[in-house]
Amino acid sequence: MKVKRAVAETAQRLDAAGCESSRVDAELLVGHVLGLSRSELALEASRTLSGVEEGRLGELAERRAAREPLAYVLGEWGFRNLTLAVDPRVLVPRPETEIVVERCLALIAALETPRVLDVGTGSGAIALAIAGEHPGAQVTAIDASSAALEVAGANATRTGIAVELGAWDLFTGLPDGLWDLVVSNPPYVDPDDRDALEPEVRDWEPAEALFGRGATAAVASGAHGVLGAGGALVLEVGDGQAEATAGLLSSVGYLDVRVTPDLAGRDRVVEGRR
């Protein structure tokens, strides 16, 4: 089977399974099997897959057709300028979280060695991006899940970026430290909304990192007590939650509360200063 046909048949299979962006997914799967980027794949349209490659592609396509997230099928996912290992122990890094990192970097840009705390680090995406893009940043990343911390640790090794990792339950407060920045992408999906989610999210991503009530408020309250004067809190929130979260930050005592939209224009990032 040639590359062009492999892509077409895989895309057809994924489309029939209800996968969005089935063509792009098919190209990424075929490229992954062959060790080629999507642009390189276009130049190899007439290349013939070996029997082993066809078998491997079939296995991966079957997983994706079962609505397993593409990132889990590939075993890695891009986040800003990083390529991170991901699997069902952690959430798939998303574009809106890149906006969180942008706001964090802007808030600590003038500081030579800012102390940063990432609450609920998951794959380590936020912590590693900040540490990688602000070389002076001293970043600590915490999570209640030991499994997630294993992934974050593997990604720190994979990227060669140094961050401190630790187990911590955000509902018990936050680590002392007079932090310059606290950032979090806490569980914010209402459990009652579970059935409305896409299968990739509902059936595959870790529920403890997705669903929850009170985590955002717990981080806001906990951070206010451990931030240094002028330190900032940056939160990712669910679609439609920004206004209420901004009000929460103001009521806790944060100043300069600000809401930033994601690339789709939805208000998804809320911040404030101590």
Side-chain angles (χ1 to χ4, degrees):
M1 182 186 298
K2 295 189 181 299
V3 165
K4 183 176 181 179
R5 179 182 169 191
V7 170
E9 290 190 0
T10 301
Q12 184 178 30
R13 180 177 184 179
L14 300 185
D15 188 59
C19 299
E20 294 185 7
S21 305
S22 56
R23 175 76 186 191
V24 172
D25 287 11
E27 291 173 351
L28 289 170
L29 289 172
V30 176
H32 182 72
V33 169
L34 299 180
L36 300 173
S37 67
R38 286 179 67 202
S39 58
E40 292 171 334
L41 197 68
L43 301 176
E44 297 279 351
S46 60
R47 172 175 168 176
T48 301
L49 277 69
S50 69
V52 171
E53 290 167 341
E54 283 192 35
R56 180 61 177 149
L57 176 59
E59 293 171 359
L60 298 182
E62 182 177 2
R63 290 173 60 187
R64 182 67 188 106
R67 305 300 293 272
E68 182 176 352
L70 180 63
Y72 294 166
V73 177
L74 298 176
E76 62 183 25
W77 202 243
F79 183 79
R80 292 183 71 84
N81 61 354
L82 303 174
T83 301
L84 303 174
V86 291
D87 62 36
R89 292 175 290 178
V90 296
L91 296 177
V92 176
R94 290 167 165 80
E96 52 265 33
T97 308
E98 297 197 16
I99 306 301
V100 172
V101 173
E102 285 185 11
R103 289 306 308 149
C104 290
L105 291 170
L107 289 164
I108 61 174
L111 302 179
E112 186 174 343
T113 56
R115 300 191 69 240
V116 178
L117 177 66
D118 176 24
V119 182
T121 195
S123 66
I126 292 175
L128 293 168
I130 291 173
E133 296 183 51
H134 190 314
Q138 301 170 14
V139 182
T140 297
I142 58 176
D143 205 294
S145 167
S146 59
L149 289 170
E150 289 175 1
V151 178
N155 279 324
T157 300
R158 177 188 181 115
T159 60
I161 299 172
V163 297
E164 181 180 357
L165 298 171
W168 197 278
D169 181 351
L170 63 85
F171 287 102
T172 65
L174 296 181
D176 292 333
L178 290 181
W179 306 97
D180 296 300
L181 172 72
V182 174
V183 56
S184 184
N185 176 14
Y188 54 67
V189 179
D190 191 315
D192 292 339
D193 295 333
R194 183 186 186 103
D195 291 342
L197 299 175
E198 290 293 319
E200 287 86 346
V201 178
R202 181 187 66 232
D203 300 335
W204 290 93
E205 296 197 76
E208 64 273 18
L210 278 171
F211 303 106
R213 296 188 178 102
T216 297
V219 174
S221 176
H224 197 266
V226 299
L227 281 166
L233 169 67
V234 180
L235 295 167
E236 181 176 325
V237 300
D239 191 14
Q241 297 176 359
E243 182 177 353
T245 303
L248 168 66
L249 264 58
S250 295
S251 70
V252 170
Y254 288 92
L255 306 174
D256 304 324
V257 176
R258 168 177 171 170
V259 175
T260 301
D262 63 16
L263 297 176
R266 298 169 297 188
D267 290 337
R268 296 297 299 276
V269 183
V270 183
E271 66 188 68
R273 283 195 179 273
R274 174 76 164 83

